[in-house]
């Protein structure tokens, strides 16, 4: 199992000056990837609840403090040499497509070709309102974003004419370090999302689901890939695990083992709900690394 860990980004672990030290230590411990999430704002009266949320706790209170994902990955890139750097997931549709393309390409260059671009549409309408993004048709917007990214990465000049964005023919000197472009992974588990993964993406970013259910959902991806004339064996799966407070790390290791038995070879653990602070998160990371066999 190729094991990764989330950078200290939000809640009590949100210490921006600790990111570089954490990234360096994680690489030294043998972690193979570092990950960030994305949250634009924490509304006082949110339009939607986080999955599993309630009126009293509509979203995890940790979300109130949330560092910018791409800035943190850039900081981590500057002090590491081997680990891959991923977003799980960036709410790509709330960013101007051409601006996001430039940022991602620059980050892939800065990191020496270690970027994994994880994209999704998010769950909070308030973020769309705050960024002037239409909530309706967000799945189509994600499809269009994929078009813009690929054209930006592979065309010169490139242009785009779509429902959401219109980009005039433009020269592009900036090129990603990875050829032809950084891997694009998609988060989510709806049938539409899984079909999109198989048809268009380089992989899937499932989160915290039982191994049998993961295997069942993956069949939809495989079927969509085959129908699109793609080899499903080339698609990646990177499992995100969010341990709840008090979870035993042995249970986390067992969950990783069960996922591996279904064919998943990449995963990362988010310590934000488990650790008291950054130092504790590193202690847990060291303990977990000893429990999970290296690839």
């Amino acid at each position: 199992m190729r094991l990764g860990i989330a950078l200290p980004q939000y809640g009590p672990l949100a210490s921006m000056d600790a990111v570089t030290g954490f990234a360096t230590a994680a690489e030294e411990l043998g972690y193979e990837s570092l990950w960030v999430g994305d949250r634009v704002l924490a509304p006082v009266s949110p339009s939607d609840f986080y999955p599993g949320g309630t009126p009293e706790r509509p979203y995890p209170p940790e979300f109130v403090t949330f560092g910018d994902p791409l800035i943190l990955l850039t900081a981590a890139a500057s002090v590491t040499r081997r680990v891959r750097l991923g977003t799980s997931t960036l709410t790509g549709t709330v960013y101007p497509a051409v601006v996001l393309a430039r940022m991602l390409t620059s980050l892939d260059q800065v990191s020496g070709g270690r970027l994994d671009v994880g994209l999704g549409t998010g769950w909070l309408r308030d973020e769309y309102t705050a960024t002037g993004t239409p909530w309706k048709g967000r799945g189509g917007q994600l499809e269009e974003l994929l078009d813009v990214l690929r054209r930006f990465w592979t065309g010169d000049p490139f242009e785009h004419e779509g429902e959401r964005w219109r980009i005039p023919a433009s020269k592009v000197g900036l090129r990603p370090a990875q050829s032809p472009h950084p891997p694009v992974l998609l988060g989510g588990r709806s049938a539409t999302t899984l079909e999109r993964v198989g048809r268009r993406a380089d992989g899937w970013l499932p989160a915290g689901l039982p191994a049998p259910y993961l295997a069942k959902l993956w069949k939809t991806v495989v079927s969509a890939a085959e129908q699109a004339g793609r080899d499903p064996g080339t698609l990646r799966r990177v499992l995100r695990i969010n341990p709840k407070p008090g979870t035993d790390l042995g249970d986390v290791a067992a969950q990783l083992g069960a996922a591996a038995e279904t064919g998943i070879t990449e995963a990362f653990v988010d310590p934000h709900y488990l650790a008291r602070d950054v130092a504790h998160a590193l202690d847990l990371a060291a303990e977990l690394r000893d429990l999970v066999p290296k690839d």
Side-chain angles (χ1 to χ4, degrees), residues 3 14 36 42 59 62 131 158 177 199-200 256:
L3 186 62
V36 291
Y59 48 76
E62 290 85 356
T131 57
F158 98 107
R199 178 168 48 86
R200 300 205 59 179
L256 290 166

Side-chain angles (χ1 to χ4, degrees), residues 25-251:
E27 186 171 62
E28 291 175 351
L29 285 170
Y31 280 91
E32 297 176 273
S33 57
L34 300 172
W35 295 83
V36 291
D38 196 10
R39 214 44 318 113
V40 176
L41 75 171
V44 173
S45 300
S47 56
D48 307 276
F49 293 169
Y50 185 72
T54 64
E56 296 74 25
R57 194 179 187 274
Y59 48 76
E62 290 85 356
F63 286 1
V64 172
T65 304
F66 217 104
D68 182 85
L70 298 186
I71 289 178
L72 296 191
L73 284 186
T74 301
S78 71
V79 296
T80 57
R81 294 293 177 267
R82 177 184 53 78
V83 289
R84 293 197 64 80
L85 308 164
T87 59
S88 177
T89 57
L90 199 68
T91 310
T93 42
V94 303
Y95 297 86
V98 70
V99 175
L100 182 60
R102 183 185 63 179
M103 290 192 295
L104 294 172
T105 306
S106 299
L107 178 51
D108 196 51
Q109 284 268 1
V110 167
S111 67
R114 292 183 282 141
L115 179 63
D116 286 326
V117 180
L119 298 172
T121 58
W123 53 272
L124 184 59
R125 280 174 291 178
D126 287 326
E127 293 185 329
Y128 282 69
T129 300
T131 57
T133 306
W135 173 258
K136 186 177 180 180
R138 58 196 180 279
Q141 293 179 57
L142 180 57
E143 293 270 5
E144 190 174 342
L145 174 61
L146 296 177
D147 291 337
V148 172
L149 291 176
R150 294 184 190 279
R151 287 170 183 167
F152 185 96
W153 285 330
T154 60
D156 192 12
F158 98 107
E159 62 184 311
H160 175 80
E161 184 77 18
E163 291 293 324
R164 174 75 175 134
W165 296 288
R166 292 176 176 82
I167 304 169
S170 305
K171 296 180 180 180
V172 182
L174 188 66
R175 280 289 174 261
Q178 297 178 85
S179 180
H181 53 71
V184 175
L185 315 173
L186 300 180
R189 55 179 172 175
S190 69
T192 300
T193 293
L194 296 171
E195 183 273 336
R196 186 180 294 123
V197 171
R199 178 168 48 86
R200 300 205 59 179
D202 298 301
W204 180 39
L205 293 168
L209 299 171
Y213 190 44
L214 288 171
K216 180 180 179 181
L217 295 179
W218 185 243
K219 291 179 181 179
T220 301
V221 176
V222 170
S223 176
E226 291 173 342
Q227 291 178 22
R230 306 179 71 203
D231 178 5
T234 65
L235 302 182
R236 294 166 58 192
R237 282 174 284 176
V238 185
L239 174 64
R240 179 187 188 119
I241 296 180
N242 303 315
K244 297 179 180 179
T247 301
D248 185 85
L249 289 182
D251 293 336

